[in-house]
Every structure is written in structure tokens, then in C-alpha cells.
Amino acid sequence: MDYLSNSVEETEALGAELAGRLEPGDVVAFTGDLGAGKTAFVRGLARGLGIPDRVTSPTFTIVNEYEGGRLPLFHFDMYRLGSADELYDIGWEDYLARGGVCAVEWSEIVRDALEPGCIRVDLRRGERDGQRRITVTEEETT
């Protein structure tokens, strides 16, 4: 599905809408340039899951954990990782087994580690300032 967002609030609202369809173990894989709105979308996911915490980018911590909602949310930022192999060093498989939602920014860096069936969200800047083109693709499991 393709969406056009004209504000941060609209981007967050799309995230909240998607959160209503998420199930334990789902992986949401984000791509997009710096400042494209990946973290804003994840803030919406958290809100849609009922998580009351303030969501921030995990750029320096690699992963932020949020609980207290319908499902836990594990927010990853792979920007500083060199390869998919490093993902396993931070306990990726343990996070998958915990029954939450894994939101993965810069997912292209760890593409080889992501199982088929993840939800892909690509965010790109639109024609106007503050506008974003968002594509959500739900992969088939094989």
C-alpha cells in the first residue's frame, strides 16, 4: 500500500494504524534516508500498541525496549552495524522469541538476517517540505 503523509502526525497515525494488525513475533523492517520519518512511524507503532513511554531513536544503544502495551516493542537501529552477523551478537534471536514486535530501522544492513514474512516500510521525502511517501509491503511467508 502506498501512502502520502503531509506531517509527522500523519506519519505517526499510519504507524498506529499498522500496530492494530501486528501480532507477537512480527518484524517491521524500515528503509529510508536520514530524517525520512522512520522513528516517527515507530512512535506511532508504540502508540497503537498502547505503550505509554516516549519513543526515541536507538542509534547509539542499537535497541530500545518498550513494554506496557498490548505487545512489547523492540526498536532497533542498524545504522552502526557492519553486517547481519553483528545482529546475532546483540541477541536478535532472543528478541524474536520474546513475543513482541521488532521494529528495525536501516533494515537493508541486516537484510540477510530477516526471515520472509516481515512487513517492509519504505519512507521517502515527498515533493513538499514535511511530505513523505510511505510504502508498506507485507511479505508472504514461504
Side-chain angles (χ1 to χ4, degrees):
M1 300 284 299
D2 292 320
Y3 303 93
L4 187 63
S5 169
N6 290 298
S7 67
V8 171
E9 293 80 15
E10 286 182 16
T11 299
E12 289 180 10
L14 283 170
E17 180 183 316
L18 177 61
R21 300 192 312 262
L22 296 177
E23 299 177 6
D26 278 347
V27 175
V28 183
F30 292 89
T31 54
D33 297 329
L34 280 170
K38 296 180 293 293
T39 300
F41 199 101
V42 175
R43 278 196 305 268
L45 285 178
R47 186 176 76 225
L49 291 171
I51 294 169
D53 300 333
R54 181 174 175 263
V55 173
T56 59
S57 177
T59 300
F60 297 104
T61 58
I62 309 296
V63 63
N64 289 339
E65 300 183 32
Y66 302 98
E67 308 244 355
R70 180 174 67 82
L71 297 169
L73 176 64
F74 310 118
H75 182 195
F76 293 84
D77 187 324
M78 303 305 175
Y79 188 75
R80 295 177 52 230
L81 294 188
S83 71
D85 293 337
E86 292 179 43
L87 184 59
Y88 294 103
D89 293 340
I90 61 172
W92 173 248
E93 291 157 324
D94 295 331
Y95 284 104
L96 290 174
R98 288 174 59 188
V101 171
C102 293
V104 184
E105 294 191 30
W106 300 99
S107 66
E108 61 271 25
I109 294 171
V110 296
R111 181 178 310 277
D112 295 343
L114 301 179
E115 296 287 327
C118 65
I119 298 164
R120 304 248 177 218
V121 179
D122 183 66
L123 295 100
R124 300 290 164 188
R125 295 179 195 280
E127 295 174 11
R128 296 191 329 263
D129 190 38
Q131 190 177 66
R132 300 293 184 264
R133 295 191 179 284
I134 301 170
T135 302
V136 179
T137 308
E138 298 187 38
E139 293 182 348
E140 297 291 324
T141 56
T142 56

